[in-house]
């Protein structure tokens, strides 16, 4: 009799596990696309500069447009995900981002570049609110940190492989063909998610003790501090991710291939660090202290790169270490936001704090583009040191506030 009763229960548990894994894989694939699309335009800067006859500050302006649109729409999209369902919002974002790049490939001009950047910004505002709302509703609580880490790993991996993919596409089908191919990826993944049948998540699905979650204010001191924290994180990485290749080529005498290798090492090791950070996030509550320690080391590494000219192999190794430590803090960062979000408001909470990334996306490209136009490539890394130091200080403040919030 025990076996008879246990078998259906085991079947249900296995079915739930399979469903959770399928959901995590599908959402992680979408996050891969989001980061891949963010790197498409920066990786084509040399091609776009030559074809459009513009400077780096004009190219930086396009990324700033992306950041402005995404920043203005992130919180409203979070509200939309909580109320009409995160699944619909996610599918629309994938499709819109794909068509934006396809249109730019078919109509290559600077005005179309700005239009494409704006559409990419709107598409980018979808991923964090929708993804985290679905994961928060459907993942096992005891493994939430690792689920977040796998999701973030997929995004970092999308950025890490973007330089190699775009370089291969440019070499085989040209710059415009590369844009069209990159855009087609978004549309194809949207179709995959429809076939897989990802679950939905909205405020109506969240209950506390069997009753609908009460409405609470989403704008809290914790959310505001985390928004600033996200902005500093974004500013500290914006120069390395968007202008690291051209800075290494013009200021350090690195070849295109060696500069891309260093950036790829930074981004790939960030993805590996995220996986390690997932286990750490499930085993500690002192997430601010973890962030402070990692970024203190990173600030020292970037200071060494900014002030000296290192051999290519050593440069790549130091970039890899910095990327790994930067990735470690990502799951803890996400757990802080989830803890600060009221029940049923995960989409809005992640939408608001992710606005910090968008603020860095607005000011970062202009700042680093101006630095490059002033022929100061070493300051691409020097400015990152400043923002990393500020991130360390805020992380320590956040860590001290945690015990009071928990009490």
């Amino acid at each position: 009799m025990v076996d008879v009763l246990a078998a259906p229960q085991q079947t249900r548990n296995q079915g739930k596990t399979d469903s959770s894994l399928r959901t995590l894989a599908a959402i992680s694939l979408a996050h891969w696309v989001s980061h891949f699309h963010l790197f498409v335009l920066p990786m084509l800067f040399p091609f776009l500069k030559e074809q459009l006859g513009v400077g780096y500050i004009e190219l930086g302006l396009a990324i700033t447009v992306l950041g402005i649109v995404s920043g203005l729409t992130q919180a409203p999209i979070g509200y939309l995900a909580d109320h009409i369902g995160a699944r619909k919002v996610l599918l629309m974002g994938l499709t819109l981002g794909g068509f934006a790049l396809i249109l730019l490939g078919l109509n290559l001009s600077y005005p179309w570049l700005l239009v494409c950047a704006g559409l990419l910004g709107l598409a980018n505002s979808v991923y964090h609110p929708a993804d985290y709302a679905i994961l928060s509703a459907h993942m096992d609580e005891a493994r939430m940190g690792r689920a977040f880490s796998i999701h973030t790993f997929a995004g970092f991996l999308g950025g890490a492989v973007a330089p190699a993919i775009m370089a291969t596409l440019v070499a085989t089908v040209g710059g415009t063909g590369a844009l069209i191919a990159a855009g087609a990826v978004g549309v194809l993944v949207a179709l995959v998610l429809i076939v897989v049948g990802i679950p939905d998540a909205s405020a109506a699905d969240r209950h506390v003790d069997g009753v609908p979650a009460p409405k609470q204010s989403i704008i809290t001191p914790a959310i505001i501090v985390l928004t600033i924290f996200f902005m500093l994180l974004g500013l500290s990485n914006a120069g390395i991710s968007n202008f690291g290749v051209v800075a290494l080529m013009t200021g350090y005498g690195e070849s295109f291939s060696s500069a891309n290798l260093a950036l790829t090492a930074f981004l790939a090791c960030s993805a590996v660090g995220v996986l390690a950070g997932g286990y750490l996030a499930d085993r500690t509550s002192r997430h601010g202290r973890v962030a402070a320690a990692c970024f203190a080391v990173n600030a020292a590494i970037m200071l060494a790169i900014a002030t000296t000219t290192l051999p290519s192999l050593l440069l790549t190794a130091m970039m890899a270490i910095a990327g790994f430590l930067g990735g470690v803090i990502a799951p803890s960062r996400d757990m802080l936001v989830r803890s600060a979000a009221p029940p049923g408001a995960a989409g809005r909470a992640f939408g608001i704090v992710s606005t910090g990334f968008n603020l860095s996306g607005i000011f970062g490209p202009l700042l680093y583009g101006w630095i490059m136009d002033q022929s100061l490539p070493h300051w691409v890394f020097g400015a990152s040191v400043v923002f990393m130091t500020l991130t360390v200080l805020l992380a320590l403040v956040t860590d001290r506030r945690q015990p009071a919030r928990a009490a």
Side-chain angles (χ1 to χ4, degrees):
M1 178 64 72
V2 173
D3 292 339
V4 172
L5 293 175
Q9 180 65 35
Q10 292 173 355
T11 301
R12 285 194 295 270
N13 289 340
Q14 183 63 41
K16 183 178 180 180
T17 299
D18 292 343
S19 177
S20 296
L21 290 175
R22 185 169 60 251
T23 298
L24 178 58
I27 298 301
S28 297
L29 179 60
H31 201 213
W32 184 96
V33 173
S34 75
H35 281 244
F36 173 67
H37 277 178
L38 285 177
F39 279 88
V40 168
L41 296 182
M43 292 305 103
L44 290 177
F45 272 0
F47 166 77
L48 294 172
K49 186 176 186 296
E50 178 182 352
Q51 293 294 313
L52 303 179
V54 296
Y56 285 116
I57 195 164
E58 286 84 3
L59 295 175
L61 177 61
I63 307 301
T64 297
V65 169
L66 189 157
I68 290 174
V69 173
S70 191
L72 292 175
T73 57
Q74 192 93 223
I77 290 294
Y79 179 89
L80 194 65
D82 280 340
H83 285 78
I84 72 168
R87 178 175 55 198
K88 301 181 186 70
V89 172
L90 178 58
L91 293 174
M92 288 188 290
L94 282 165
T95 306
L96 179 62
F99 278 120
L101 290 170
I102 293 173
L103 287 174
L104 178 61
L106 296 175
N107 302 274
L108 189 61
S109 65
Y110 187 69
W112 270 106
L113 174 62
L114 297 180
V115 171
C116 170
L119 293 176
L120 281 176
L122 180 57
N124 179 63
S125 69
V126 162
Y127 294 104
H128 279 189
D131 286 4
Y132 283 112
I134 293 173
L135 292 177
S136 294
H138 296 283
M139 293 297 106
D140 182 2
E141 187 73 26
R143 296 178 176 84
M144 191 65 69
R146 278 164 282 180
F148 283 167
S149 74
I150 293 171
H151 169 260
T152 305
F153 169 81
F156 279 29
L157 184 61
V161 300
I165 291 177
M166 295 310 297
T168 301
L169 287 173
V170 169
T172 55
V173 297
T176 55
L179 286 167
I180 294 172
V185 170
V187 179
L188 290 175
V189 170
L191 293 175
V192 169
L193 264 60
I194 292 173
V195 172
V196 169
I198 58 171
D200 207 351
S202 67
D205 300 325
R206 299 300 300 273
H207 294 77
V208 178
D209 296 330
V211 299
K215 292 184 178 180
Q216 301 180 45
S217 174
I218 192 63
I219 306 298
T220 63
I223 293 294
I224 294 172
V225 169
L226 286 169
T227 302
I228 298 172
F229 183 68
F230 273 50
M231 181 183 69
L232 292 175
L233 284 175
L235 287 171
S236 67
N237 288 320
I240 301 170
S241 300
N242 294 329
F243 291 92
V245 170
V246 293
L248 290 173
M249 291 173 63
T250 58
Y252 296 78
E254 298 289 335
S255 66
F256 178 73
S257 59
S258 62
N260 265 293
L261 178 62
L263 179 61
T264 300
F266 176 82
L267 298 173
C269 288
S270 295
V272 176
V274 166
L275 294 179
Y279 285 92
L280 187 60
D282 282 335
R283 288 166 172 77
T284 182
S285 61
R286 306 311 295 265
H287 305 305
R289 190 170 295 178
V290 172
C294 291
F295 267 84
V297 176
N298 276 6
I301 291 175
M302 290 303 154
L303 181 61
I305 295 175
T307 55
T308 60
T309 300
L310 302 171
S312 295
L313 185 60
L314 180 58
L315 171 67
T316 301
M318 294 182 71
M319 291 280 283
I321 295 171
F324 178 84
L325 293 175
V328 166
I329 74 161
S332 294
R333 171 203 73 192
D334 296 337
M335 292 294 285
L336 284 171
V337 179
R338 185 173 185 268
S339 298
R348 280 165 286 171
F350 279 99
I352 291 171
V353 299
S354 296
T355 302
F357 278 145
N358 300 125
L359 291 174
S360 69
I362 293 170
F363 299 109
L366 289 178
L367 171 63
Y368 290 106
W370 178 83
I371 287 173
M372 285 301 302
D373 280 340
Q374 300 305 307
S375 300
L376 299 170
H378 285 259
W379 271 100
V380 168
F381 301 96
S384 293
V385 173
V386 174
F387 292 122
M388 286 179 181
T389 303
L390 293 174
T391 302
V392 170
L393 297 176
L394 186 60
L396 291 173
V397 171
T398 303
D399 192 69
R400 290 177 182 176
R401 290 169 58 91
Q402 280 182 337
R405 286 202 300 270

